[in-house]
Amino acid sequence: MDLQKHTEPGLRPHADLRASDADRDRTADILREALAEGRIDAEEHAERVEEAYRAKTVGELAPLVRDLPAAHRSHSAATFAPAPNRPTPGTVPPVADENVVAVFSAAIRKGRWRVGRRTHAYAIFGSVEIDLSEAVFEHRQVVIKAISVFGSVEIRVPENVSLRGSGGGVLGNFEVDTLDSGERDAPVVYVDGLAVLGTIEAKPKRGKVIEDLIDRIGDRVNDKLRKHLGR
């Protein structure tokens, strides 16, 4: 899902209007929620989602969710909810998926890479740069644990994720720009750190946004389908 697009609060009432990507995405969101709640089974969900992304008009989308409560909620019910300040317990493991270490040197992690649930960064008389602006987020909640001793850790995230920080400095500087995404399925990046005579900085990278949320949503749905079908 391209977060630069504005997601409409409801399907337009005129059935003959051409359906937008936002209309199809909203219908898929409602169907995904219905599957999670057990209102429809995996087979029916797959059929309806396929029909949703084939739909040409709003009128073709409406029957796919007409019997589901989420389709009839008012826009006022869908209030903005900021990301939690801490990850959901049990979501992020204590062991790092990846370590980025710079000792009297520099280490850089950027480009198109898959972000694990937990990344540890250590800058000891060195510098670490972690750039998530082009990374692939496969998890909703991501933790970056940063330790800087006479060094620097610089973290950059896309503008349309949520960003949270927890940490401090000892004769050093710990700075995280709190950021809230308006997109419900956007990842949340949690930066935990300690800067000892060093710096830790996490900020959005201007002009960079995630454009593949729908792919990750589809992956989660496919995982649920495989589990349901016992594959």
Side-chain angles (χ1 to χ4, degrees):
M1 183 187 300
D2 188 341
L3 294 188
Q4 290 173 296
K5 298 174 182 175
H6 174 68
T7 303
E8 298 175 9
L11 297 177
R12 292 182 288 247
H14 304 293
D16 58 342
L17 289 179
R18 299 287 290 189
S20 68
D21 288 341
D23 292 327
R24 297 185 188 93
D25 291 341
R26 177 179 179 273
T27 300
D29 287 343
I30 293 172
L31 293 171
R32 186 177 69 254
E33 181 179 335
L35 174 64
E37 294 175 346
R39 298 182 186 278
I40 58 176
D41 60 26
E43 182 177 355
E44 186 176 7
H45 170 267
E47 292 175 354
R48 293 195 189 193
V49 168
E50 185 177 356
E51 290 183 31
Y53 284 104
R54 284 204 311 257
K56 300 297 184 184
T57 67
V58 174
E60 294 173 21
L61 291 172
L64 300 175
V65 295
R66 185 174 291 144
D67 58 345
L68 301 175
H72 304 283
R73 292 175 187 159
S74 65
H75 180 51
S76 60
T79 56
F80 172 76
N85 290 325
R86 301 301 303 160
T88 304
T91 301
V92 181
V95 179
D97 298 301
E98 180 175 2
N99 293 302
V100 183
V101 181
V103 180
F104 288 98
S105 62
I108 301 174
R109 196 72 166 93
K110 65 179 182 179
R112 191 74 171 173
W113 60 292
R114 297 183 181 277
V115 184
R117 288 188 175 90
R118 176 181 286 273
T119 300
H120 287 179
Y122 302 95
I124 314 298
F125 289 93
S127 64
V128 171
E129 178 185 347
I130 298 178
D131 189 342
L132 303 175
S133 62
E134 298 179 6
V136 178
F137 287 83
E138 297 182 317
H139 310 286
R140 175 92 194 284
Q141 297 183 334
V142 170
V143 169
I144 298 177
K145 179 70 175 182
I147 300 295
S148 173
V149 179
F150 287 96
S152 66
V153 177
E154 181 181 289
I155 301 164
R156 294 293 180 264
V157 303
E159 286 190 302
N160 53 357
V161 305
S162 293
L163 180 62
R164 294 290 184 270
S166 176
V170 178
L171 298 178
N173 183 55
F174 176 86
E175 181 182 356
V176 175
D177 285 0
T178 299
L179 184 65
D180 275 305
S181 173
E183 171 60 47
R184 183 179 61 185
D185 291 299
V188 185
V189 178
Y190 296 93
V191 178
D192 293 340
L194 176 63
V196 180
L197 292 166
T199 62
I200 297 173
E201 181 184 84
K203 295 182 178 180
K205 191 169 185 177
R206 299 304 177 189
K208 293 292 186 178
V209 295
I210 298 176
E211 298 180 356
D212 64 346
L213 282 186
I214 193 63
D215 295 333
R216 292 184 291 105
I217 292 169
D219 290 341
R220 292 200 295 271
V221 170
N222 290 335
D223 289 341
K224 186 180 288 290
L225 288 173
R226 283 194 292 269
K227 291 178 182 178
H228 181 83
L229 297 174
R231 295 179 182 177

